[in-house]
PDB file of all heavy atoms in Angstrom:
ATOM      1  N   TRP A  38      13.953  -5.495  11.515  1.00  0.00           N
ATOM      2  CA  TRP A  38      14.490  -4.214  11.042  1.00  0.00           C
ATOM      3  C   TRP A  38      13.442  -3.465  10.233  1.00  0.00           C
ATOM      4  O   TRP A  38      13.264  -2.272  10.365  1.00  0.00           O
ATOM      5  CB  TRP A  38      15.707  -4.428  10.131  1.00  0.00           C
ATOM      6  CG  TRP A  38      16.934  -4.926  10.800  1.00  0.00           C
ATOM      7  CD1 TRP A  38      17.264  -4.781  12.116  1.00  0.00           C
ATOM      8  CD2 TRP A  38      18.015  -5.657  10.183  1.00  0.00           C
ATOM      9  NE1 TRP A  38      18.478  -5.380  12.351  1.00  0.00           N
ATOM     10  CE2 TRP A  38      18.952  -5.914  11.188  1.00  0.00           C
ATOM     11  CE3 TRP A  38      18.258  -6.103   8.892  1.00  0.00           C
ATOM     12  CZ2 TRP A  38      20.144  -6.594  10.940  1.00  0.00           C
ATOM     13  CZ3 TRP A  38      19.425  -6.773   8.631  1.00  0.00           C
ATOM     14  CH2 TRP A  38      20.359  -7.026   9.649  1.00  0.00           C
ATOM     15  N   GLU A  39      12.753  -4.238   9.371  1.00  0.00           N
ATOM     16  CA  GLU A  39      11.821  -3.583   8.463  1.00  0.00           C
ATOM     17  C   GLU A  39      10.553  -3.140   9.177  1.00  0.00           C
ATOM     18  O   GLU A  39       9.944  -2.149   8.802  1.00  0.00           O
ATOM     19  CB  GLU A  39      11.455  -4.525   7.297  1.00  0.00           C
ATOM     20  CG  GLU A  39      10.551  -3.849   6.273  1.00  0.00           C
ATOM     21  CD  GLU A  39      10.265  -4.710   5.049  1.00  0.00           C
ATOM     22  OE1 GLU A  39      10.741  -5.857   5.001  1.00  0.00           O
ATOM     23  OE2 GLU A  39       9.578  -4.206   4.147  1.00  0.00           O
ATOM     24  N   LYS A 125      10.148  -2.572  -5.070  1.00  0.00           N
ATOM     25  CA  LYS A 125      10.988  -3.355  -5.982  1.00  0.00           C
ATOM     26  C   LYS A 125      12.204  -3.975  -5.306  1.00  0.00           C
ATOM     27  O   LYS A 125      13.108  -4.471  -5.978  1.00  0.00           O
ATOM     28  CB  LYS A 125      11.451  -2.503  -7.166  1.00  0.00           C
ATOM     29  CG  LYS A 125      10.288  -1.936  -7.937  1.00  0.00           C
ATOM     30  CD  LYS A 125      10.613  -1.737  -9.390  1.00  0.00           C
ATOM     31  CE  LYS A 125       9.355  -1.328 -10.095  1.00  0.00           C
ATOM     32  NZ  LYS A 125       9.220  -1.470 -11.425  1.00  0.00           N
ATOM     33  N   SER A 126      12.267  -3.937  -3.994  1.00  0.00           N
ATOM     34  CA  SER A 126      13.412  -4.537  -3.322  1.00  0.00           C
ATOM     35  C   SER A 126      13.376  -6.062  -3.476  1.00  0.00           C
ATOM     36  O   SER A 126      14.385  -6.730  -3.267  1.00  0.00           O
ATOM     37  CB  SER A 126      13.440  -4.160  -1.844  1.00  0.00           C
ATOM     38  OG  SER A 126      12.290  -4.634  -1.194  1.00  0.00           O
ATOM     39  N   ARG A 131      15.792 -11.373  -4.195  1.00  0.00           N
ATOM     40  CA  ARG A 131      15.850 -12.582  -5.013  1.00  0.00           C
ATOM     41  C   ARG A 131      17.192 -12.732  -5.730  1.00  0.00           C
ATOM     42  O   ARG A 131      17.412 -13.725  -6.401  1.00  0.00           O
ATOM     43  CB  ARG A 131      14.693 -12.598  -6.014  1.00  0.00           C
ATOM     44  CG  ARG A 131      13.342 -12.649  -5.323  1.00  0.00           C
ATOM     45  CD  ARG A 131      12.239 -12.965  -6.306  1.00  0.00           C
ATOM     46  NE  ARG A 131      12.129 -14.398  -6.524  1.00  0.00           N
ATOM     47  CZ  ARG A 131      11.665 -14.939  -7.634  1.00  0.00           C
ATOM     48  NH1 ARG A 131      11.298 -14.193  -8.633  1.00  0.00           N
ATOM     49  NH2 ARG A 131      11.591 -16.241  -7.755  1.00  0.00           N
ATOM     50  N   SER A 132      18.069 -11.746  -5.634  1.00  0.00           N
ATOM     51  CA  SER A 132      19.398 -11.909  -6.223  1.00  0.00           C
ATOM     52  C   SER A 132      20.328 -12.631  -5.249  1.00  0.00           C
ATOM     53  O   SER A 132      21.475 -12.909  -5.569  1.00  0.00           O
ATOM     54  CB  SER A 132      19.979 -10.554  -6.630  1.00  0.00           C
ATOM     55  OG  SER A 132      20.454  -9.853  -5.503  1.00  0.00           O
ATOM     56  N   PRO A 134      21.152 -15.947  -2.593  1.00  0.00           N
ATOM     57  CA  PRO A 134      20.819 -17.380  -2.587  1.00  0.00           C
ATOM     58  C   PRO A 134      19.851 -17.747  -1.466  1.00  0.00           C
ATOM     59  O   PRO A 134      20.216 -18.416  -0.500  1.00  0.00           O
ATOM     60  CB  PRO A 134      22.176 -18.072  -2.414  1.00  0.00           C
ATOM     61  CG  PRO A 134      23.087 -17.048  -1.852  1.00  0.00           C
ATOM     62  CD  PRO A 134      22.548 -15.699  -2.192  1.00  0.00           C
ATOM     63  N   ILE A 135      18.633 -17.296  -1.597  1.00  0.00           N
ATOM     64  CA  ILE A 135      17.581 -17.606  -0.625  1.00  0.00           C
ATOM     65  C   ILE A 135      16.374 -18.045  -1.436  1.00  0.00           C
ATOM     66  O   ILE A 135      16.018 -17.359  -2.403  1.00  0.00           O
ATOM     67  CB  ILE A 135      17.194 -16.352   0.185  1.00  0.00           C
ATOM     68  CG1 ILE A 135      18.416 -15.781   0.900  1.00  0.00           C
ATOM     69  CG2 ILE A 135      16.088 -16.658   1.183  1.00  0.00           C
ATOM     70  CD1 ILE A 135      18.219 -14.372   1.374  1.00  0.00           C
ATOM     71  N   GLU A 139      11.898 -20.117   1.725  1.00  0.00           N
ATOM     72  CA  GLU A 139      12.557 -19.634   2.952  1.00  0.00           C
ATOM     73  C   GLU A 139      12.072 -18.230   3.321  1.00  0.00           C
ATOM     74  O   GLU A 139      11.810 -17.937   4.486  1.00  0.00           O
ATOM     75  CB  GLU A 139      14.079 -19.595   2.753  1.00  0.00           C
ATOM     76  CG  GLU A 139      14.758 -20.943   2.832  1.00  0.00           C
ATOM     77  CD  GLU A 139      16.244 -20.848   2.505  1.00  0.00           C
ATOM     78  OE1 GLU A 139      16.598 -20.240   1.471  1.00  0.00           O
ATOM     79  OE2 GLU A 139      17.047 -21.372   3.275  1.00  0.00           O
ATOM     80  N   ARG A 323       7.166 -16.846  -6.465  1.00  0.00           N
ATOM     81  CA  ARG A 323       8.147 -17.489  -7.323  1.00  0.00           C
ATOM     82  C   ARG A 323       7.835 -17.293  -8.805  1.00  0.00           C
ATOM     83  O   ARG A 323       8.720 -17.070  -9.614  1.00  0.00           O
ATOM     84  CB  ARG A 323       8.154 -18.981  -6.985  1.00  0.00           C
ATOM     85  CG  ARG A 323       9.120 -19.749  -7.805  1.00  0.00           C
ATOM     86  CD  ARG A 323       9.674 -20.942  -7.070  1.00  0.00           C
ATOM     87  NE  ARG A 323      10.749 -21.462  -7.888  1.00  0.00           N
ATOM     88  CZ  ARG A 323      10.768 -22.692  -8.372  1.00  0.00           C
ATOM     89  NH1 ARG A 323       9.798 -23.514  -8.092  1.00  0.00           N
ATOM     90  NH2 ARG A 323      11.760 -23.073  -9.124  1.00  0.00           N
ATOM     91  N   ASP A 326       5.874 -12.430 -12.516  1.00  0.00           N
ATOM     92  CA  ASP A 326       6.881 -11.814 -13.347  1.00  0.00           C
ATOM     93  C   ASP A 326       6.887 -10.312 -13.288  1.00  0.00           C
ATOM     94  O   ASP A 326       7.877  -9.681 -13.565  1.00  0.00           O
ATOM     95  CB  ASP A 326       6.573 -12.204 -14.795  1.00  0.00           C
ATOM     96  CG  ASP A 326       7.680 -13.013 -15.380  1.00  0.00           C
ATOM     97  OD1 ASP A 326       8.593 -13.343 -14.618  1.00  0.00           O
ATOM     98  OD2 ASP A 326       7.632 -13.296 -16.577  1.00  0.00           O
ATOM     99  N   TYR A 329       9.695  -7.301 -12.420  1.00  0.00           N
ATOM    100  CA  TYR A 329      10.976  -6.941 -13.029  1.00  0.00           C
ATOM    101  C   TYR A 329      10.700  -6.484 -14.446  1.00  0.00           C
ATOM    102  O   TYR A 329      10.132  -7.189 -15.220  1.00  0.00           O
ATOM    103  CB  TYR A 329      11.904  -8.158 -13.016  1.00  0.00           C
ATOM    104  CG  TYR A 329      13.288  -7.937 -13.575  1.00  0.00           C
ATOM    105  CD1 TYR A 329      13.703  -6.671 -13.996  1.00  0.00           C
ATOM    106  CD2 TYR A 329      14.172  -8.992 -13.674  1.00  0.00           C
ATOM    107  CE1 TYR A 329      14.974  -6.481 -14.494  1.00  0.00           C
ATOM    108  CE2 TYR A 329      15.449  -8.812 -14.160  1.00  0.00           C
ATOM    109  CZ  TYR A 329      15.839  -7.543 -14.583  1.00  0.00           C
ATOM    110  OH  TYR A 329      17.088  -7.364 -15.075  1.00  0.00           O
TER     111      TYR A 329
ATOM    112  N   PHE B  24       4.401 -14.091 -23.523  1.00  0.00           N
ATOM    113  CA  PHE B  24       3.391 -13.515 -22.632  1.00  0.00           C
ATOM    114  C   PHE B  24       2.127 -13.410 -23.463  1.00  0.00           C
ATOM    115  O   PHE B  24       2.016 -12.512 -24.297  1.00  0.00           O
ATOM    116  CB  PHE B  24       3.830 -12.146 -22.133  1.00  0.00           C
ATOM    117  CG  PHE B  24       5.104 -12.189 -21.328  1.00  0.00           C
ATOM    118  CD1 PHE B  24       6.307 -11.794 -21.880  1.00  0.00           C
ATOM    119  CD2 PHE B  24       5.089 -12.626 -20.014  1.00  0.00           C
ATOM    120  CE1 PHE B  24       7.479 -11.835 -21.140  1.00  0.00           C
ATOM    121  CE2 PHE B  24       6.258 -12.676 -19.272  1.00  0.00           C
ATOM    122  CZ  PHE B  24       7.455 -12.278 -19.836  1.00  0.00           C
ATOM    123  N   LYS B  58      16.195 -12.532 -17.275  1.00  0.00           N
ATOM    124  CA  LYS B  58      15.393 -13.091 -16.191  1.00  0.00           C
ATOM    125  C   LYS B  58      15.381 -14.608 -16.246  1.00  0.00           C
ATOM    126  O   LYS B  58      15.481 -15.268 -15.220  1.00  0.00           O
ATOM    127  CB  LYS B  58      13.948 -12.580 -16.298  1.00  0.00           C
ATOM    128  CG  LYS B  58      13.728 -11.306 -15.564  1.00  0.00           C
ATOM    129  CD  LYS B  58      12.440 -10.647 -15.993  1.00  0.00           C
ATOM    130  CE  LYS B  58      11.227 -11.426 -15.584  1.00  0.00           C
ATOM    131  NZ  LYS B  58       9.996 -10.715 -15.995  1.00  0.00           N
ATOM    132  N   THR B  64      12.303 -16.282 -14.053  1.00  0.00           N
ATOM    133  CA  THR B  64      11.103 -16.658 -14.779  1.00  0.00           C
ATOM    134  C   THR B  64      11.360 -18.008 -15.453  1.00  0.00           C
ATOM    135  O   THR B  64      12.505 -18.364 -15.716  1.00  0.00           O
ATOM    136  CB  THR B  64      10.739 -15.584 -15.823  1.00  0.00           C
ATOM    137  OG1 THR B  64       9.512 -15.941 -16.442  1.00  0.00           O
ATOM    138  CG2 THR B  64      11.803 -15.445 -16.897  1.00  0.00           C
ATOM    139  N   PHE B  78      15.726 -21.909 -13.260  1.00  0.00           N
ATOM    140  CA  PHE B  78      14.459 -21.706 -12.550  1.00  0.00           C
ATOM    141  C   PHE B  78      14.311 -22.688 -11.396  1.00  0.00           C
ATOM    142  O   PHE B  78      13.869 -22.333 -10.317  1.00  0.00           O
ATOM    143  CB  PHE B  78      13.284 -21.821 -13.516  1.00  0.00           C
ATOM    144  CG  PHE B  78      11.984 -21.368 -12.907  1.00  0.00           C
ATOM    145  CD1 PHE B  78      11.804 -20.036 -12.575  1.00  0.00           C
ATOM    146  CD2 PHE B  78      10.969 -22.271 -12.653  1.00  0.00           C
ATOM    147  CE1 PHE B  78      10.620 -19.606 -11.993  1.00  0.00           C
ATOM    148  CE2 PHE B  78       9.784 -21.844 -12.073  1.00  0.00           C
ATOM    149  CZ  PHE B  78       9.609 -20.513 -11.752  1.00  0.00           C
ATOM    150  N   ARG B  81      17.368 -22.116  -8.496  1.00  0.00           N
ATOM    151  CA  ARG B  81      17.731 -20.703  -8.356  1.00  0.00           C
ATOM    152  C   ARG B  81      18.657 -20.454  -7.168  1.00  0.00           C
ATOM    153  O   ARG B  81      19.624 -19.710  -7.253  1.00  0.00           O
ATOM    154  CB  ARG B  81      16.480 -19.830  -8.209  1.00  0.00           C
ATOM    155  CG  ARG B  81      16.758 -18.352  -8.288  1.00  0.00           C
ATOM    156  CD  ARG B  81      15.476 -17.546  -8.252  1.00  0.00           C
ATOM    157  NE  ARG B  81      14.775 -17.658  -6.997  1.00  0.00           N
ATOM    158  CZ  ARG B  81      15.090 -16.965  -5.908  1.00  0.00           C
ATOM    159  NH1 ARG B  81      16.064 -16.090  -5.939  1.00  0.00           N
ATOM    160  NH2 ARG B  81      14.414 -17.132  -4.794  1.00  0.00           N
ATOM    161  N   LYS B  82      18.378 -21.130  -6.048  1.00  0.00           N
ATOM    162  CA  LYS B  82      19.176 -20.878  -4.856  1.00  0.00           C
ATOM    163  C   LYS B  82      20.646 -21.251  -5.072  1.00  0.00           C
ATOM    164  O   LYS B  82      21.548 -20.477  -4.770  1.00  0.00           O
ATOM    165  CB  LYS B  82      18.611 -21.643  -3.665  1.00  0.00           C
ATOM    166  CG  LYS B  82      19.389 -21.383  -2.400  1.00  0.00           C
ATOM    167  CD  LYS B  82      18.781 -22.081  -1.205  1.00  0.00           C
ATOM    168  CE  LYS B  82      19.680 -21.900   0.002  1.00  0.00           C
ATOM    169  NZ  LYS B  82      19.092 -22.459   1.214  1.00  0.00           N
ATOM    170  N   PHE B  90      23.895 -10.322  -9.549  1.00  0.00           N
ATOM    171  CA  PHE B  90      23.290  -9.473 -10.572  1.00  0.00           C
ATOM    172  C   PHE B  90      22.706  -8.203  -9.997  1.00  0.00           C
ATOM    173  O   PHE B  90      22.386  -8.114  -8.825  1.00  0.00           O
ATOM    174  CB  PHE B  90      22.259 -10.236 -11.407  1.00  0.00           C
ATOM    175  CG  PHE B  90      20.914 -10.409 -10.766  1.00  0.00           C
ATOM    176  CD1 PHE B  90      19.926  -9.461 -10.960  1.00  0.00           C
ATOM    177  CD2 PHE B  90      20.624 -11.532 -10.016  1.00  0.00           C
ATOM    178  CE1 PHE B  90      18.662  -9.632 -10.399  1.00  0.00           C
ATOM    179  CE2 PHE B  90      19.365 -11.699  -9.459  1.00  0.00           C
ATOM    180  CZ  PHE B  90      18.387 -10.743  -9.645  1.00  0.00           C
ATOM    181  N   ASP B  93      17.870  -3.601 -13.624  1.00  0.00           N
ATOM    182  CA  ASP B  93      17.934  -2.254 -14.202  1.00  0.00           C
ATOM    183  C   ASP B  93      17.208  -1.200 -13.381  1.00  0.00           C
ATOM    184  O   ASP B  93      17.419  -0.023 -13.591  1.00  0.00           O
ATOM    185  CB  ASP B  93      17.440  -2.261 -15.655  1.00  0.00           C
ATOM    186  CG  ASP B  93      15.985  -2.688 -15.749  1.00  0.00           C
ATOM    187  OD1 ASP B  93      15.484  -3.279 -14.771  1.00  0.00           O
ATOM    188  OD2 ASP B  93      15.363  -2.436 -16.779  1.00  0.00           O
ATOM    189  N   VAL B  96      16.892  -1.188  -6.660  1.00  0.00           N
ATOM    190  CA  VAL B  96      16.122  -2.159  -5.907  1.00  0.00           C
ATOM    191  C   VAL B  96      16.570  -2.347  -4.461  1.00  0.00           C
ATOM    192  O   VAL B  96      16.023  -3.199  -3.775  1.00  0.00           O
ATOM    193  CB  VAL B  96      16.154  -3.537  -6.591  1.00  0.00           C
ATOM    194  CG1 VAL B  96      15.376  -3.497  -7.880  1.00  0.00           C
ATOM    195  CG2 VAL B  96      17.559  -3.993  -6.822  1.00  0.00           C
ATOM    196  N   TRP B 100      14.390   1.175   3.491  1.00  0.00           N
ATOM    197  CA  TRP B 100      14.286   1.307   4.942  1.00  0.00           C
ATOM    198  C   TRP B 100      15.513   0.759   5.666  1.00  0.00           C
ATOM    199  O   TRP B 100      15.692   0.942   6.858  1.00  0.00           O
ATOM    200  CB  TRP B 100      13.042   0.565   5.439  1.00  0.00           C
ATOM    201  CG  TRP B 100      12.938  -0.839   4.902  1.00  0.00           C
ATOM    202  CD1 TRP B 100      12.212  -1.225   3.806  1.00  0.00           C
ATOM    203  CD2 TRP B 100      13.602  -2.014   5.382  1.00  0.00           C
ATOM    204  NE1 TRP B 100      12.385  -2.574   3.582  1.00  0.00           N
ATOM    205  CE2 TRP B 100      13.219  -3.081   4.528  1.00  0.00           C
ATOM    206  CE3 TRP B 100      14.462  -2.267   6.440  1.00  0.00           C
ATOM    207  CZ2 TRP B 100      13.682  -4.381   4.712  1.00  0.00           C
ATOM    208  CZ3 TRP B 100      14.922  -3.557   6.615  1.00  0.00           C
ATOM    209  CH2 TRP B 100      14.535  -4.594   5.765  1.00  0.00           C
ATOM    210  N   GLN B 105      23.239  -2.900   8.291  1.00  0.00           N
ATOM    211  CA  GLN B 105      22.305  -4.028   8.347  1.00  0.00           C
ATOM    212  C   GLN B 105      22.325  -4.799   7.025  1.00  0.00           C
ATOM    213  O   GLN B 105      22.330  -6.033   7.005  1.00  0.00           O
ATOM    214  CB  GLN B 105      20.874  -3.528   8.598  1.00  0.00           C
ATOM    215  CG  GLN B 105      20.676  -2.919   9.981  1.00  0.00           C
ATOM    216  CD  GLN B 105      19.289  -2.315  10.152  1.00  0.00           C
ATOM    217  OE1 GLN B 105      18.662  -1.890   9.186  1.00  0.00           O
ATOM    218  NE2 GLN B 105      18.823  -2.252  11.385  1.00  0.00           N
ATOM    219  N   HIS B 114      24.978 -15.020   2.052  1.00  0.00           N
ATOM    220  CA  HIS B 114      25.715 -15.342   0.836  1.00  0.00           C
ATOM    221  C   HIS B 114      27.072 -15.958   1.156  1.00  0.00           C
ATOM    222  O   HIS B 114      27.941 -15.294   1.709  1.00  0.00           O
ATOM    223  CB  HIS B 114      25.903 -14.092  -0.018  1.00  0.00           C
ATOM    224  CG  HIS B 114      26.033 -14.422  -1.472  1.00  0.00           C
ATOM    225  ND1 HIS B 114      26.971 -15.306  -1.936  1.00  0.00           N
ATOM    226  CD2 HIS B 114      25.333 -14.017  -2.545  1.00  0.00           C
ATOM    227  CE1 HIS B 114      26.833 -15.419  -3.248  1.00  0.00           C
ATOM    228  NE2 HIS B 114      25.847 -14.649  -3.641  1.00  0.00           N
ATOM    229  N   ASP B 164      22.490  -5.315 -15.511  1.00  0.00           N
ATOM    230  CA  ASP B 164      21.455  -4.800 -16.389  1.00  0.00           C
ATOM    231  C   ASP B 164      21.380  -3.291 -16.179  1.00  0.00           C
ATOM    232  O   ASP B 164      20.885  -2.835 -15.161  1.00  0.00           O
ATOM    233  CB  ASP B 164      20.115  -5.480 -16.051  1.00  0.00           C
ATOM    234  CG  ASP B 164      19.075  -5.241 -17.131  1.00  0.00           C
ATOM    235  OD1 ASP B 164      19.387  -4.553 -18.122  1.00  0.00           O
ATOM    236  OD2 ASP B 164      17.947  -5.746 -16.988  1.00  0.00           O
TER     237      ASP B 164
END
Side-chain angles (χ1 to χ4, degrees):
Chain A
W38 290 336
E39 184 175 2
K125 302 210 173 201
S126 61
R131 297 192 84 207
S132 77
I135 302 163
E139 283 175 311
R323 180 149 189 239
D326 243 6
Y329 182 4
Chain B
F24 298 103
K58 271 164 67 178
T64 184
F78 191 67
R81 190 175 66 81
K82 181 177 174 175
F90 79 90
D93 62 343
V96 291
W100 49 264
Q105 293 175 333
H114 207 305
D164 194 0

